[in-house]
Amino acid sequence: MARHRIGVIGLGKIAQDQHLPVIAASDAFELAAVSSQRGLTAPGAMTFRDHAVLLRQTPDLAAVAICTPPQVRHAIARDALAAGKHVMLEKPPTATLAELSDLTAEAARRNLVLMTTWHSQYNAAVDAAQAILAGETVTCLFIDWKEDVRKWHPGQAWIWRAGGFGVFDPGINALSIATKILPRPLFVASAELLTPANAEAPIAATLAFAGPGDLRAEFDWRQTGGEVWEITVTTASGRTLKLSAGGSRLSVDGTPHTAAPSQEYTGIYRHFAELLRTGRSHVDARPFELVADAFLLGSRVPTAPFHD
Ligand code: NAP
């Protein structure tokens, strides 16, 4: 079967670390073009500095993956849909919920596929946790998501600006796991957003979710000495599930259950190929809604200025 010709827009860290190598190894996709404002190139692909020129000059392109910061993703996705391309959106899919609704409607109107990519959902341990929790009553949830921003986001000025999500950039990964595995919806009840005096987005946040049960999350970018990416869930039947290593390892009642090396982006592209085959879109707004609600309900707590 012919491979889908795909373009990648924005050749930053995630495009280089994941999208380009996964496309290169894929049976379903062929990298046809890239767009990089800085003029970066990719072997075998046509290179453009402007996504609009890429869309104009590659009429045989089937799809694009948009790997820019979220603030500019809606406008680029709109242009791609108008040019008749299927669209994969890096996470978080857009800067606002209204933008995501607009893209969802526009893709449907044009019979094109739109896919949101919550990469942390594509782990065998996450699927296993979801299966175990189906039909259970959750009594406790604790999301503990802490990493060193200097290690994971060096020099990314956009992440500190309004619409850059701050600590919710990694935090939304945890929320995408929680919304997938829990047998009932989460609702933000209250939040505290610790925001450096020289930034527009938080460096740390705590969330409490509506009960029943004790449901909480702590996100912190000031972590040093190794990241903590853990989600612990306790059920009324007395089971304790712990997802660790960003959702790639699951233990149940202290016993290792599922551990598989992360194949997140392979899973994402496999899913995208399946959506293209069936002509269906996949738009999951739930993690994004929780972050938006944290910003709506959260109290801003000023904290020390941050310098990269
Ligand atoms: P990044 O390294 O800053 O890369 C973003 C790239 O987008 C830039 O290098 C630039 O590439 C392009 N870009 C920047 N501003 C732009 C603008 N105004 N218009 C068009 N293109 C622009 O960031 P990243 O870490 O790759 O993150 C990108 C997205 O992927 C974020 O939403 C992030 O949450 C998500 N993500 C990141 C990771 C990770 O581990 N880093 C993991 C999963 C998801 P060019 O100069 O080549 O155009």
Side-chain angles (χ1 to χ4, degrees):
M1 202 183 75
R3 290 184 293 170
H4 303 289
R5 289 170 63 73
I6 192 166
V8 173
I9 298 175
L11 293 188
K13 184 170 179 349
I14 198 60
Q16 294 182 41
D17 288 358
Q18 296 290 343
H19 290 262
L20 298 186
V22 168
I23 292 169
S26 166
D27 294 335
F29 293 95
E30 172 191 358
L31 184 69
V34 295
S35 153
S36 168
Q37 295 189 320
R38 290 165 297 170
L40 299 188
T41 61
M46 291 197 283
T47 308
F48 302 89
R49 280 187 185 261
D50 182 337
H51 76 273
V53 182
L54 178 153
L55 293 170
R56 239 189 350 264
Q57 296 195 359
T58 54
D60 60 344
L61 205 65
V64 292
I66 306 177
C67 303
T68 64
Q71 291 99 325
V72 293
R73 211 170 280 140
H74 172 256
I76 296 173
R78 260 287 190 165
D79 289 347
L81 292 170
K85 313 302 177 199
H86 304 293
V87 171
M88 176 193 288
L89 301 166
E90 247 304 344
K91 52 81 21 182
T94 45
T96 70
L97 284 168
E99 288 177 350
L100 182 56
S101 300
D102 176 64
L103 295 181
T104 307
E106 189 62 12
R109 196 175 73 78
R110 293 180 179 275
N111 282 324
L112 291 167
V113 170
L114 181 72
M115 177 180 171
T116 52
T117 57
W118 301 110
H119 59 85
S120 300
Q121 292 183 343
Y122 292 82
N123 276 304
V126 171
D127 288 335
Q130 181 188 31
I132 293 168
L133 289 172
E136 293 269 6
T137 300
V138 171
T139 50
C140 282
L141 164 73
F142 182 52
I143 298 173
D144 198 10
W145 218 258
K146 294 170 183 153
E147 63 181 42
D148 182 351
V149 65
R150 289 188 173 90
K151 174 177 171 186
W152 290 96
H153 300 278
Q156 292 185 349
W158 59 266
I159 220 158
W160 295 104
R161 290 201 292 271
F165 287 71
V167 75
F168 287 108
D169 180 87
I172 205 167
N173 299 335
L175 295 171
S176 76
I177 296 174
T179 53
K180 179 166 179 181
I181 65 173
L182 293 184
R184 69 176 173 89
L186 282 174
F187 298 95
V188 177
S190 64
E192 272 200 348
L193 313 175
L194 274 71
T195 308
N198 58 347
E200 294 167 345
I203 194 166
T206 56
L207 270 56
F209 302 99
D214 177 17
L215 315 175
R216 292 180 296 117
E218 286 183 11
F219 306 114
D220 206 323
W221 254 349
R222 298 164 299 181
Q223 174 84 354
T224 52
E227 40 284 335
V228 177
W229 293 320
E230 291 179 354
I231 298 177
T232 307
V233 183
T234 309
T235 69
S237 64
R239 304 182 95 173
T240 299
L241 281 72
K242 187 169 191 167
L243 276 165
S244 54
S248 60
R249 280 206 297 269
L250 173 68
S251 70
V252 180
D253 300 331
T255 306
H257 184 283
T258 304
S262 180
Q263 297 275 313
E264 295 172 346
Y265 280 81
T266 304
I268 285 175
Y269 275 90
R270 196 179 296 131
H271 189 188
F272 195 41
E274 180 60 15
L275 294 176
L276 294 181
R277 192 183 68 74
T278 57
R280 284 184 298 115
S281 285
H282 175 82
V283 178
D284 175 6
R286 291 172 303 164
F288 196 20
E289 288 168 349
L290 292 176
V291 171
D293 286 352
F295 278 105
L296 271 174
L297 292 176
S299 55
R300 268 65 171 176
V301 180
T303 187
F306 175 82
H307 299 287
D308 216 348

